[in-house]
Amino acid sequence: MTKKVGVVGAGLMGSEIALVFALAGHEVLLNDRDQSSLDRALARLKGLMEKGVPRSFFTEDQIEPTLSRITPALELDSFADREIVTEAVFEQEQLKTELLSQLDSIVSADCLIASNTSTIPIGTLAAAIAPERRNRFLGTHYFSPVSHMKLVEVIPGFDTSDATMTQIMALMSDIGKTPIAVKDVPGFAVNRMLHAFIIEAVRLVEEGVASPEDLDTACRLGLGHPIGPFALMDAVTSSLCVQAQEIMQDAYGERFRPPPLLKQRVRGGYPGGKGKPGWLPSS
């Protein structure tokens, strides 16, 4: 059954979350702070589909119908009729809680609200939601790039109902994802494993054991990883990694302290990401 979906945040994550819902036949409103951000997001999605990425999800004749199901929306008030809304803004607690509180005042009582946070506990974010709606609030942590990565961590808060969990698990499967239920702890499951791995990789470079290029090669050819930790940091940005590690350091202690070299490179202007140097020469 077609659902009325809303996504707040038209960055790399939010725009592709909108795309996978649209590919599954749902009608999507995509919100961001200005029209230029929305225009860039829609142009990027069109280019992504025209390049056939990922072609396994669709055929060429689905491109225009899929994109037509994504409608840009500058005003959150237009979300009043949505059945599910996903928050996918920058990983900053105050920003997310302010947005969630605003959404709570707009959407219907039956609307399900999900956060795409990667590290902030759902129970913490739920404080921004009215008590009577918290049973309809939870986390859906997608992985980048959303158009390729099938996993979604589904995280209940203190008050999330079993019915909400059942509904969202079915919906994730409907849009082609593989959901796993994860306890509500800082960093959830995957990021705790990932950042322990990234921290050790940076330490190996700090100690002169191997270069970032060779460690990436070792992970691809020795561990079977599709991408090495340094290429991954360059893709998602080292600054985001530092931020995630600091959140988990606060929760779990020294084992997640960001390595000095990682912080130094971020402060020195080597975070990676679009148009900025990172760990690898091609970045």
Side-chain angles (χ1 to χ4, degrees):
M1 181 182 296
T2 300
K3 288 193 175 293
K4 294 179 179 179
V5 176
V7 179
V8 184
L12 294 178
M13 294 294 290
S15 60
E16 291 199 21
I17 291 171
L19 177 62
V20 296
F21 273 102
L23 280 166
H26 303 294
E27 300 295 330
V28 185
L29 289 181
L30 179 61
N31 168 270
D32 212 304
R33 59 193 174 201
D34 55 58
Q35 189 62 49
S36 61
S37 297
L38 291 168
D39 291 343
R40 285 194 300 272
L42 293 172
R44 178 179 168 273
L45 293 181
K46 183 176 181 180
L48 192 70
M49 295 190 76
E50 288 175 346
K51 291 176 183 176
V53 182
R55 182 61 78 197
S56 59
F57 287 171
F58 63 90
T59 58
E60 190 170 352
D61 61 359
Q62 289 179 279
I63 294 176
E64 288 305 322
T66 296
L67 293 174
S68 71
R69 287 193 285 270
I70 303 175
T71 303
L74 283 173
E75 302 298 330
L76 282 179
D77 288 345
S78 61
F79 280 44
D81 67 343
R82 299 295 94 179
E83 296 170 86
I84 174 172
V85 175
T86 300
E87 167 274 305
V89 298
F90 185 71
E91 189 74 353
Q92 204 278 330
E93 184 177 325
Q94 182 177 350
L95 176 63
K96 287 180 179 291
T97 54
E98 289 175 356
L99 172 62
L100 290 168
S101 178
Q102 188 177 0
L103 283 170
D104 186 32
S105 69
I106 292 170
V107 299
S108 69
D110 293 332
C111 180
L112 189 154
I113 302 178
S115 173
N116 182 51
T117 179
S118 59
T119 52
I120 304 170
I122 299 304
T124 299
L125 295 177
I129 304 289
E132 58 270 20
R133 189 200 290 284
R134 291 176 189 168
N135 67 331
R136 302 283 290 162
F137 176 67
L138 78 173
T140 50
H141 176 213
Y142 298 79
F143 291 81
S144 184
V146 179
S147 56
H148 286 72
M149 304 292 278
K150 291 184 70 68
L151 182 68
V152 177
E153 289 180 306
V154 178
I155 309 103
F158 295 117
D159 300 306
T160 308
S161 69
D162 290 343
T164 296
M165 285 293 289
T166 298
Q167 180 184 354
I168 202 69
M169 296 291 272
L171 184 58
M172 293 298 99
S173 296
D174 175 66
I175 64 173
K177 301 302 179 186
T178 300
I180 62 169
V182 176
K183 184 179 178 180
D184 185 25
V185 294
F188 313 128
V190 174
N191 267 339
R192 283 177 61 177
M193 293 187 289
L194 172 64
H195 284 282
F197 184 79
I198 285 174
I199 288 168
E200 190 60 26
V202 175
R203 286 176 178 156
L204 288 170
V205 173
E206 285 180 327
E207 296 166 11
V209 175
S211 69
E213 294 89 343
D214 285 347
L215 288 168
D216 272 10
T217 298
C219 290
R220 291 195 310 271
L221 303 185
L223 299 178
H225 294 184
I227 186 173
F230 296 95
L232 179 60
M233 281 189 280
D234 284 354
V236 303
T237 75
S238 291
S239 53
L240 185 61
C241 291
V242 169
Q243 183 183 34
Q245 289 164 20
E246 288 177 339
I247 290 171
M248 288 186 282
Q249 179 193 357
D250 184 59
Y252 305 116
E254 289 301 298
R255 60 186 165 132
F256 285 106
R257 178 182 291 277
L261 179 59
L262 179 59
K263 295 177 74 172
Q264 183 181 358
R265 290 181 64 87
V266 170
R267 291 170 180 163
Y270 293 85
K274 187 174 179 62
K276 293 187 178 180
W279 291 95
L280 304 178
S282 59
S283 300

